[in-house]
Amino acid sequence: MSTSPLQKQSLLSCPTIPLRDGTSHPAIGFGTYKVGFIPASASSVVSGATNEPQRTAEECVREALDVGYRFLECAQFYGNESEVGKAIKASGVKREDLFLCSKVWTTTIEKGDEAICAQLDKTLADIDTDYLDLYLIHWPVPGKHVEAYKTLEKLQREGKIRNIGVSNYAVEDYKELLKEGIAMKPSVNQIEINPFLYRKNTINYFQEEGVVLQSYRSLRDGKAMDNPTLAKIGAAHSKSPAQVLGRWCVQHGFVYMPKSVKKERMAENAEVFDFELSKDEMKELDGLTTPEAFTTFQALYRKCVNRDTTKDGTMEGVKMDITID
C-alpha cells in the first residue's frame, strides 16, 4: 500500500508540543515495542499468548518512515534498536528531521552509573546516531531510579541526550526525585493513557508540573475496537475506532504513540488531525474507565517496578500506596 502525498504531508507537518526547554516534541510517533522482536519477559510471552513476529523491525520502521512518522519511540527492552538504526539509514531521512527517544531498562538501572552510560553508548551505536532527543528511565526501580536519573542528568550535560524524562512514574515516584535534589525536572513521563485507563488526577498533577505526557497503549493493543461508544463516535465522523482513540489523545494534549506492523494501519492510525471531537464526545470517552481498571493498573505497577531485576517477583521497596487515579 502506498501512502498518499496528502497523508504523508499531514504527518510531516503534524502539531508539536513544547518541552520545558522549548524543544518541539511531535504530537504523534511510531511505537516500536514488539515490532520485529518480542522480549522474553513481555506479558504475552509469559502467558504463552504470542506468536513469533512475521516481519523484521527494519521493514516495519522503514515503512513507518515512508508513511511520514518522524518520532520513533524505542527502548533497550524492545531488543530491536539496531534494526531501527538500519531502517533509518536505509530511509535516507536526515537525522535533524527525526525525534528519537529511548528508555533504559530495569536491569541496567539496578546496576548503576557505569552500566547506564555503557547502555546509552550501545543504543547510540545501534541506532547509529551521536545523540538522542529524549532518554527515559523505563520504570522507577526502588532504591535505584533516583541515582539512575542523576546519571541521565550527567549524560545530558555531556551532550549525548537533549532531553531527559521518566516512564511509568506515579506521582509519588516523581516527588521522590524532587526530594532527592535532582537538578532538572523530567521533560516527559511516558505512561499508559487511553479512555479505558484515564488517570485524571495523576495526569493533571504532571501537566501542572510542566511534564509532557506520552501515551503508550494509546490504542489499547487493539482490544477495544469493538467498543460500542468508539463505534458510535467513529460513525459520526466517518472515522475508525482507532482514529477516535488517537484523536482523544491528541485533543487532551498527550503525545500519541500508535504502533502497527501493517503499513495501511500505520497510515490509518495517523489520520487524527483532520477532525475534532465535541465536548460531549470527549466527556463520554473520559467516562469509560472503570474502578477495576485502576485496580489492575496498581497490580501491574507493583509487579513491574522490580521486573527482571534481582528483586523480581518480590514487593521489596515497592511503594504500596500510590495515586492510582
Side-chain angles (χ1 to χ4, degrees):
M1 174 195 170
S2 61
T3 308
S4 75
L6 195 61
Q7 283 176 314
K8 186 166 185 174
Q9 189 54 44
S10 175
L11 257 178
L12 292 174
S13 60
C14 75
T16 60
I17 299 170
L19 300 183
R20 63 174 72 252
D21 72 339
T23 297
S24 295
H25 189 312
I28 184 172
F30 182 72
T32 62
Y33 181 42
K34 295 185 182 177
V35 173
F37 177 82
I38 300 176
S41 68
S43 56
S44 55
V45 173
V46 174
S47 68
T50 188
N51 297 312
E52 285 298 309
Q54 299 300 307
R55 308 182 66 217
T56 68
E58 181 182 356
E59 289 176 299
C60 297
V61 174
R62 280 186 70 174
E63 289 187 347
L65 291 168
D66 185 56
V67 167
Y69 288 90
R70 291 297 180 262
F71 160 37
L72 300 178
E73 187 270 327
C74 311
Q76 172 190 353
F77 179 64
Y78 299 173
N80 56 11
E81 290 188 326
S82 62
E83 293 280 304
V84 172
K86 291 175 187 174
I88 293 170
K89 190 172 185 178
S91 74
V93 176
K94 294 177 181 177
R95 174 63 184 91
E96 59 265 30
D97 293 332
L98 294 169
F99 189 97
L100 301 178
C101 169
S102 185
K103 305 195 288 286
V104 60
W105 186 238
T106 57
T107 48
T108 304
I109 292 167
E110 184 179 36
K111 290 173 185 172
D113 181 84
E114 286 188 17
I116 294 166
C117 293
Q119 176 57 45
L120 175 61
D121 285 342
K122 183 180 187 306
T123 286
L124 292 174
D126 284 348
I127 299 180
D128 195 17
T129 183
D130 56 4
Y131 72 94
L132 291 177
D133 296 281
L134 183 63
Y135 201 39
L136 311 179
I137 301 290
H138 204 140
W139 282 95
V141 179
K144 301 291 183 179
H145 75 96
V146 173
E147 288 307 309
Y149 187 86
K150 290 179 178 179
T151 295
L152 264 56
E153 290 183 321
K154 176 184 73 173
L155 293 166
Q156 184 183 31
R157 290 191 295 271
E158 292 174 4
K160 293 182 177 181
I161 311 166
R162 297 286 171 87
N163 282 276
I164 58 177
V166 296
S167 179
N168 297 300
Y169 270 50
V171 168
E172 291 72 19
D173 297 312
Y174 177 84
K175 287 182 175 178
E176 184 184 0
L177 281 183
L178 300 185
K179 182 183 176 184
E180 294 298 324
I182 59 169
M184 176 75 70
K185 288 182 178 181
S187 295
V188 162
N189 186 13
Q190 183 185 119
I191 59 176
E192 178 179 347
I193 311 176
N194 54 62
F196 303 91
L197 187 62
Y198 182 40
R199 297 164 56 215
K200 194 171 183 179
N201 286 328
T202 293
I203 287 164
N204 288 346
Y205 175 84
F206 281 108
Q207 289 182 328
E208 286 168 6
E209 280 288 306
V211 177
V212 169
L213 293 166
Q214 290 180 340
S215 159
Y216 74 77
R217 293 192 82 217
S218 306
L219 302 181
R220 207 164 174 259
D221 296 341
K223 294 173 182 172
M225 297 309 165
D226 57 353
N227 179 272
T229 300
L230 293 180
K232 178 187 72 175
I233 294 174
H237 296 274
S238 299
K239 290 290 184 177
S240 70
Q243 290 164 337
V244 171
L245 288 171
R247 181 64 206 178
W248 178 87
C249 271
V250 167
Q251 219 160 299
H252 266 305
F254 313 138
V255 177
Y256 167 47
M257 303 189 304
K259 64 183 178 72
S260 179
V261 296
K262 298 178 180 178
K263 191 174 184 181
E264 61 270 23
R265 286 273 190 267
M266 296 175 195
E268 176 191 314
N269 291 341
E271 293 178 358
V272 296
F273 301 109
D274 59 351
F275 73 109
E276 188 169 342
L277 300 172
S278 70
K279 285 184 180 179
D280 286 345
E281 288 169 334
M282 289 292 285
K283 186 176 180 181
E284 191 171 2
L285 291 168
D286 290 352
L288 291 176
T289 301
T290 64
E292 291 76 22
F294 294 132
T295 305
T296 300
F297 157 74
Q298 184 173 42
L300 186 67
Y301 171 89
R302 290 175 178 176
K303 172 185 173 184
C304 286
V305 290
N306 278 328
R307 182 173 169 187
D308 288 349
T309 71
T310 57
K311 307 292 193 302
D312 195 351
T314 77
M315 292 294 114
E316 188 172 333
V318 177
K319 295 179 179 71
M320 303 303 285
D321 186 19
I322 61 166
T323 304
I324 61 172
D325 64 349

